[in-house]
Amino acid sequence: MITFTDVTKTYPGQKRPALSGVSATIEDGEFVFLVGPSGSGKSTFLRLVLRETRATSGQVVVDGRDLGRMRGWRIPKLRRGIGTVFQDFRLLPGKTVHENVAFALQVIGRPGRDIRRTVPATLEMVGLADKADRLPEELSGGEQQRAALARAVVNAPRILLADEPTGNLDPSTSVGIMKLLDQINKDGTTVLMATHDSTVVDQMRRRVIELSNGELIRDQAQGVYGYQ
Ligand code: ADP
Ligand code: ADP
């Protein structure tokens, strides 16, 4: 599903690469944690998968496509197959939960009857059926992240990228979000989650890829967080 082959990324004007010689294969249906201290290259890894940036050398292949060679007009289609969630939720303020999730389908031109069927089912899945008409600013952090997750998966993406999704949540709320991510993964979505949350990583015991100064220093099945 995602293959990095000897990937190096050096941002313009930087001496040190953000990623250096990284190789890893993430199979269809896997759940992978990306760990490492701040500045170790986690976000760069995720941005490469989204083709928000390109490798300086090496190859990034997503769903059979070499992103270094991908033409610009194909990028929107690539991104439609990849859901994203972030630490800061990034919901549209002033739009209800239903509208936030529906918007993700409207922008890709899905018909209204589809949207009216799919959105309530997705909100049900994340446990927000009763909050559909609330605004994000009226919700708790955990509820906002559930709404963001609903928006990320309403289009049934093959891949879900999560960048510190529990970073703004207390531990008990984080457990609920992880249960949802686990469910989404069991339903067939490949999940790649960058995190500093050692509790979550140690509880889930999924594959762990650790970066340090841009280098892949550990790739462990049923791994633990493992660094201080
Ligand atoms: P992490 O997500 O693990 O905190 P990043 O991928 O954000 O790591 O950053 C890795 C390195 O690349 C850091 O040294 C960071 O300062 C640098 N970096 C990230 N984005 C840019 C950018 N757009 N331009 C220049 N340097 C960047
Ligand atoms: P895009 O290519 O979609 O504009 P990028 O952030 O990947 O977005 O690239 C910014 C600029 O740098 C573009 O003009 C692009 O052609 C160039 N560029 C980026 N990465 C590479 C690369 N690996 N090889 C050649 N040119 C690159």
Side-chain angles (χ1 to χ4, degrees):
M1 177 60 48
I2 300 170
T3 303
F4 277 49
T5 308
D6 202 13
V7 172
T8 293
K9 171 66 188 183
T10 307
Y11 287 103
Q14 301 294 111
K15 282 205 189 72
R16 257 177 25 124
L19 280 184
S20 180
V22 169
S23 295
T25 297
I26 297 171
E27 304 288 354
D28 197 359
E30 273 199 278
F31 191 121
V32 180
F33 288 115
L34 199 53
V35 307
S38 185
S40 59
K42 303 183 297 296
S43 300
T44 298
F45 193 112
L46 299 182
R47 295 185 62 223
L48 284 164
V49 174
L50 284 164
R51 195 26 183 90
E52 285 180 2
T53 190
R54 275 199 271 189
T56 310
S57 65
Q59 196 183 44
V60 177
V61 176
V62 175
D63 210 3
R65 297 201 170 272
D66 180 344
L67 301 196
R69 295 164 166 272
M70 182 176 274
R71 307 288 293 273
W73 63 271
R74 284 192 185 273
I75 294 173
K77 181 159 184 283
L78 166 81
R79 293 183 185 156
R80 280 205 289 280
I82 306 176
T84 51
V85 286
F86 302 93
Q87 178 169 2
D88 56 358
F89 319 131
R90 304 195 187 177
L91 296 164
L92 297 168
K95 282 193 185 292
T96 66
V97 168
H98 176 95
E99 287 166 344
N100 263 278
V101 177
F103 188 66
L105 296 177
Q106 284 157 0
V107 294
I108 60 171
R110 289 276 286 272
R113 70 188 128 76
D114 254 28
I115 296 174
R116 283 189 293 278
R117 196 185 55 234
T118 314
V119 174
T122 306
L123 290 177
E124 183 78 45
M125 191 268 292
V126 302
L128 279 184
D130 57 336
K131 305 271 163 81
D133 297 325
R134 300 287 189 87
L135 297 171
E137 44 274 42
E138 299 170 342
L139 302 181
S140 70
E143 289 166 340
Q144 289 186 58
Q145 195 59 296
R146 285 171 185 272
L149 264 173
R151 180 181 59 182
V153 301
V154 69
N155 182 38
R158 307 272 310 273
I159 300 171
L160 180 66
L161 303 182
D163 198 350
E164 301 278 0
T166 62
N168 277 332
L169 306 177
D170 61 51
S172 62
T173 309
S174 298
V175 170
I177 293 298
M178 292 314 299
K179 283 190 175 151
L180 270 177
L181 283 170
D182 192 43
Q183 188 56 53
I184 288 163
N185 173 247
K186 291 203 161 96
D187 290 343
T189 306
T190 305
V191 177
L192 177 57
M193 170 171 163
T195 187
H196 276 119
D197 194 334
S198 59
T199 310
V200 155
V201 176
D202 290 345
Q203 277 171 356
M204 298 275 292
R205 298 306 303 258
R206 299 301 192 98
R207 180 175 170 191
V208 172
I209 293 176
E210 181 175 348
L211 298 174
S212 172
N213 294 321
E215 292 181 22
L216 193 162
I217 59 164
R218 177 165 61 110
D219 188 345
Q220 181 182 25
Q222 287 132 41
V224 292
Y225 185 70
Y227 75 90
Q228 299 311 313

